[in-house]
Amino acid sequence: MSFQAQQIHRAFGGTQVLEGVSLTVEPGEFVALLGPSGSGKTTLLNIIAGLSIADAGRLVFDGEDITDLPAGKRHFGMVFQNYALFKHMTVAQNISFGLRMLPRSTRPSRREIADRTRAYLEMIELPDLADRYPAQLSGGQKQRVAMARALAIRPRLLLMDEPFSALDAQVRQSLRGSVRALQKQVGVGTVMVTHDRAEALDLADKIAVMDHGRIVQFDTPENLRANPATDSVRALLA
């Protein structure tokens, strides 16, 4: 099930933030939005998530136009840079939250929710921390829980906004491998915003390099390095 953003435009006041941005994410593909601050990365992610509305353009998932579909009905998972875990809930309760909030007609049974929560605790290698609270976790552990919570609902698309930016360099590097392995295991298409070229090159199947509200090149890491389309792409990947 592929996702497409088609000719997305967005302006704030008199400033054009996105100008005719088009992007395709194939099933199971990991796409990084890479660029400097102000290039439009997060605005595009928020439009995909349904947290912001485009001035023009279409969003299509598996052939269905979802441009006007509310965020809650898109069934996309979201991982924020500040984790956004519920402080009053345990790790297990955080992971199962989205499942417990599903409409009764689509909500799994209590047993299935418990089983799926345990499975994701194993996936993120935190099986013994189910009863801890976020305040008792390290930054890396919190981000793993946030990832598991987003994936537990079996989203149609996973969106991540600078998911490692709050972590120190050593934790960031070690966690990247875990996140990529988990994404591959689940097989969900993923879009990640980052300004860190090492993250993009390490994690992504394809990178959309953004500059001044446009995608200036969309290609594999290997092709971007070998054939940068512009001086700005060359400088960003140097």
Side-chain angles (χ1 to χ4, degrees):
M1 295 185 288
S2 65
F3 168 80
Q4 292 180 318
Q6 301 174 351
Q7 291 295 308
I8 301 298
H9 292 260
R10 185 69 168 105
F12 294 107
T15 303
Q16 194 72 35
V17 179
L18 294 174
E19 298 187 57
V21 171
S22 295
L23 179 75
T24 297
V25 183
E26 299 295 348
E29 191 172 50
F30 196 120
V31 171
L33 305 180
L34 175 66
S37 297
S39 59
K41 308 183 301 295
T42 296
T43 299
L44 177 59
L45 194 78
N46 286 338
I47 289 172
I48 294 171
L51 304 177
S52 183
I53 299 173
D55 298 323
R58 297 171 70 232
L59 302 174
V60 179
F61 187 89
D62 196 24
E64 174 193 359
D65 190 326
I66 62 167
T67 308
D68 298 321
L69 197 66
K73 294 187 176 181
R74 294 188 184 186
H75 204 68
F76 291 171
M78 189 84 181
V79 178
F80 300 93
Q81 63 185 37
N82 64 349
Y83 321 125
L85 297 178
F86 299 110
K87 296 178 181 179
H88 64 289
M89 293 184 187
T90 65
V91 165
Q93 289 168 339
N94 265 284
I95 293 173
S96 65
F97 176 78
L99 295 171
R100 291 184 281 113
M101 292 299 105
L102 288 173
R104 187 176 297 274
S105 59
T106 59
R107 189 186 311 156
S109 67
R110 288 184 180 180
R111 181 183 181 87
E112 186 177 348
I113 289 174
D115 288 346
R116 200 183 299 183
T117 299
R118 279 194 294 272
Y120 275 95
L121 280 165
E122 291 286 348
M123 283 186 191
I124 62 173
E125 300 178 347
L126 298 177
D128 299 326
L129 304 188
D131 295 325
R132 291 197 186 178
Y133 289 87
Q136 298 171 298
L137 304 178
S138 68
Q141 289 170 339
K142 289 177 184 176
Q143 197 56 287
R144 290 186 189 204
V145 174
M147 182 89 170
R149 183 179 62 183
L151 290 173
I153 62 169
R154 295 178 180 165
R156 302 197 297 175
L157 191 69
L158 178 65
L159 308 175
M160 299 196 291
D161 185 12
E162 303 263 14
F164 311 111
S165 62
L167 305 173
D168 64 51
Q170 186 174 357
V171 174
R172 202 160 55 229
Q173 187 169 3
S174 65
L175 190 56
R176 286 204 299 257
S178 299
V179 166
R180 184 59 165 128
L182 183 56
Q183 184 266 343
K184 280 185 175 181
Q185 183 176 351
V186 176
V188 63
T190 299
V191 181
M192 179 186 73
V193 164
T194 183
H195 65 273
D196 186 320
R197 69 176 181 85
E199 284 179 5
L201 292 169
D202 258 8
L203 291 169
D205 297 306
K206 289 183 182 174
I207 300 172
V209 181
M210 298 191 67
D211 190 25
H212 293 91
R214 296 179 180 273
I215 293 179
V216 293
Q217 191 169 355
F218 183 45
D219 213 330
T220 64
E222 295 78 15
N223 287 340
L224 284 170
R225 281 170 158 165
N227 302 294
T230 67
D231 289 340
S232 63
V233 175
R234 184 178 291 106
L236 193 61
L237 297 178

